Structures are given as C-alpha cells and as structure tokens.
Amino acid sequence: MVGTFGTVHLSGGGIKVEVITGSETGITPEMAKRFNVELVPYYVSYNHRTYTEGVDFDKDDFYRSLRQAQNFPTTSHPTRSDIIAAFEKAGEETDSIIYVTISSKHSKPFELANKAKEEFHDLRIEVVDSGKATAGHGLVALEAARLAGEEADIAKILGRMEEIKERVDEVLALNTLKYLAKGGRIHRAKALVGSILSIKPLITYRDGFTAPIGKVRTHPRALEFIVSKIRADLERYGSSGIRCIIEDADNREWANQVKERITKEFEPEEVWQVDMSPISAVHIGPGAWGVAYYCL
C-alpha cells in the first residue's frame, strides 16, 4: 500500500464514536488503525476452499487462480455473527457506533446489521448505507471516521453523512467484460463483442446500483475521462480539492501512473493507493482499476 496521510486527532481517554465498515472497501490494516476503523471480513471461495479477506488470503495465488480457473470464484458477505462480534468489540471502547455498509442493493450487511443491533440495548448503533461499493464505500467510511477522530458526536456525524455520500464518487475502468459475463452481470454475447472491439467499460454507482458511465478503448483514455469528471465535480461543488483512493486489481504498474497523474493534476489533500478487494475483483476482473474521490 502506498499512501499519503493527513493528521487525524483521535480523542484521548476513550473513543467517542467508533466507525465500522466492511473489508471489501480496500481499506488497509494501516489505514484502519490510523483512523480507528474496525473492518468486518468478507469471504471468497475458490479451489475448494473459503478464505477470509485480510486473514488467510494470498493475493498472488488468488489472481493466478482467477485468470486460470474454470470454476468461477464465489464471494460472501459478513455473517450476522461477524457483525455482532464487531459490535461487541467496539462496545468495549464506546457506547456510540456507526456501521457504514456496502450499498444495500449489492449485498445484505445493511439488513443484517440492523437486525444485529437489536441485541445491544446499552449501545447506540446507527447503520448507514453508503450507496456505494469498493473504494467509494471506503471513502464514505473514512470521512465518517475522520469526524469521529475530531471528537464529533454521533449526531453531528450522522448529520454530515448524506452530504459526504453525495460528494464521494468513483469511476472503475474494467480491463475486460469477461468477468461481468461469468458472474451473470451481462450477457455473454455482449462480453464477446466487447472483447473483439477492445472496449473497456467505465462504471460507477448510482442510487446504490452499479451503472455504466462510459466506454473507451484504452486505459489512458479512461484516465482522461476520470480527470475531466473530477474537474467537473470540483466546479459543481465549488470544492477546494479532493481526497482520493486509487485501487487496482493486479495492475499496480498502471495504478502507479494513475496516482502520479491525479497527484500532479489535483494535488489531493490525501491520496491512498490500495489493492482492490478480491470481492470486487471476482466480478470485474484482473487488470481493472479505479479512482474514488471526495470533493472537499
């Protein structure tokens, strides 16, 4: 992981509000520790074994298998027990918890967490649907944790969440349509045509769903599209700058170039470069990359 970190002042003598989110955000253990974010694990199964993300997962082995496997890997969300364990752990430090989940249109943690919190009568637990996935989901959680680190109370943080979600966006550039077809997200014939034409689709998240936002033929053109979009959003919000996450699915060399361009173009207040979660990579495929950003 490559990153540039700003200063986060965590509250002394205890935690006012703890933020919990999912491991599929791509948030690294180092980032989680710095921002005091608890990560609830997702799972990926392949080669007759189920792996816990962030615990017993071998990234290099996974990508070798993903490129070669005839049996498509499967993924699964945190269990109710996983979420309860995260609430119990956080409850040892605070009585105020915010769980920022992946879009409820993508997976079930939002529903599971709302049921799990009923077990805790002495804790205030608020479950927030990020409306996003991958690094965009991660940025929403990090912005909540940033406010918690500044000793904001839970009401103030919740009052900012809709604005934060509105100002966080992400564009993912896929290397191929093949994995979307394997996972049943698009028709196989469309994937074949895309492969023949060397089309690289660009996707984002709208109203909680994955949505197409464009298509290009090369990664450099995808980067130009993203740069133009960030410029437009900065103007739209009258923003002074961005904080961003650059993620890639086994395409680090290109992601390094993306980070260099984004840094030169926008001088982000903070920029992180992370490995894309395998939970996302299963569906969008090796070689994919993306830029998630928050307009300040």
Side-chain angles (χ1 to χ4, degrees):
M1 187 278 296
V2 179
T4 302
F5 299 91
T7 301
V8 175
H9 301 286
L10 298 179
S11 55
I15 299 168
K16 198 165 189 177
V17 181
E18 180 150 339
V19 174
I20 298 172
T21 195
S23 65
E24 60 76 39
T25 55
I27 292 174
T28 67
E30 293 83 2
M31 293 163 70
K33 181 177 180 180
R34 182 176 184 85
F35 287 91
N36 196 44
V37 174
E38 178 72 15
L39 298 177
V40 185
Y42 277 65
Y43 303 93
V44 59
S45 300
Y46 66 96
N47 291 344
H48 311 292
R49 182 178 171 185
T50 297
Y51 298 84
T52 304
E53 185 175 14
V55 176
D56 59 355
F57 183 76
D58 185 326
K59 179 189 69 172
D60 293 334
D61 180 63
F62 166 73
Y63 280 113
R64 281 195 299 270
S65 179
L66 185 59
R67 286 187 168 95
Q68 300 169 6
Q70 295 181 354
N71 296 321
F72 193 62
T74 60
T75 62
S76 54
H77 54 70
T79 66
R80 183 173 180 274
S81 295
D82 291 331
I83 295 170
I84 287 175
F87 288 166
E88 289 176 341
K89 181 178 179 181
E92 295 174 359
E93 300 291 338
T94 183
D95 60 4
S96 298
I97 298 167
I98 296 176
Y99 184 14
V100 182
T101 74
I102 188 174
S103 168
S104 58
K105 306 295 188 353
H106 277 254
S107 191
K108 292 185 176 180
F110 180 78
E111 175 186 345
L112 291 174
N114 273 301
K115 291 180 179 178
K117 76 176 188 178
E118 296 174 1
E119 303 286 329
F120 299 86
H121 304 294
D122 297 327
L123 299 177
R124 180 176 179 184
I125 301 173
E126 300 289 346
V127 185
V128 176
D129 183 346
S130 74
K132 306 177 190 302
T134 62
H137 169 198
L139 265 184
V140 173
L142 288 179
E143 290 304 318
R146 183 185 306 280
L147 291 172
E150 294 169 354
E151 300 190 0
D153 61 29
I154 193 166
K156 180 177 180 181
I157 298 171
L158 292 172
R160 290 285 308 280
M161 290 307 294
E162 288 305 314
E163 179 189 8
I164 289 170
K165 289 193 291 181
E166 172 67 22
R167 286 174 173 257
V168 169
D169 209 347
E170 176 174 20
V171 178
L172 290 163
L174 280 59
N175 198 43
T176 174
L177 290 166
K178 178 173 70 173
Y179 293 88
L180 283 177
K182 279 186 176 182
R185 304 297 176 93
I186 63 170
H187 196 277
R188 291 180 183 274
K190 186 174 182 180
L192 178 60
V193 171
S195 177
I196 292 172
L197 298 176
S198 299
I199 291 173
K200 302 188 185 302
L202 305 176
I203 61 174
T204 187
Y205 303 99
R206 292 290 179 265
D207 300 319
F209 292 99
T210 302
I213 194 173
K215 54 187 178 181
V216 295
R217 293 187 183 276
T218 67
H219 288 308
R221 288 187 178 180
L223 180 54
E224 292 307 317
F225 179 98
I226 292 170
V227 166
S228 295
K229 186 176 185 309
I230 295 174
R231 285 197 197 111
D233 284 346
L234 286 169
E235 183 176 352
R236 172 189 174 193
Y237 293 115
S239 299
S240 59
I242 62 171
R243 291 192 277 265
C244 68
I245 298 176
I246 296 161
E247 61 179 347
D248 71 279
D250 204 28
N251 195 358
R252 176 52 59 90
E253 184 176 350
W254 172 248
N256 289 341
Q257 295 182 53
V258 173
K259 179 175 182 284
E260 182 178 353
R261 174 67 188 283
I262 294 295
T263 301
K264 180 179 180 180
E265 191 77 31
F266 299 106
E267 298 182 354
E269 182 177 289
E270 293 174 354
V271 56
W272 300 276
Q273 187 175 338
V274 304
D275 295 322
M276 184 178 292
S277 165
I279 309 304
S280 303
V282 162
H283 299 291
I284 66 177
W289 57 278
V291 179
Y293 57 94
Y294 172 63
C295 292
L296 304 177

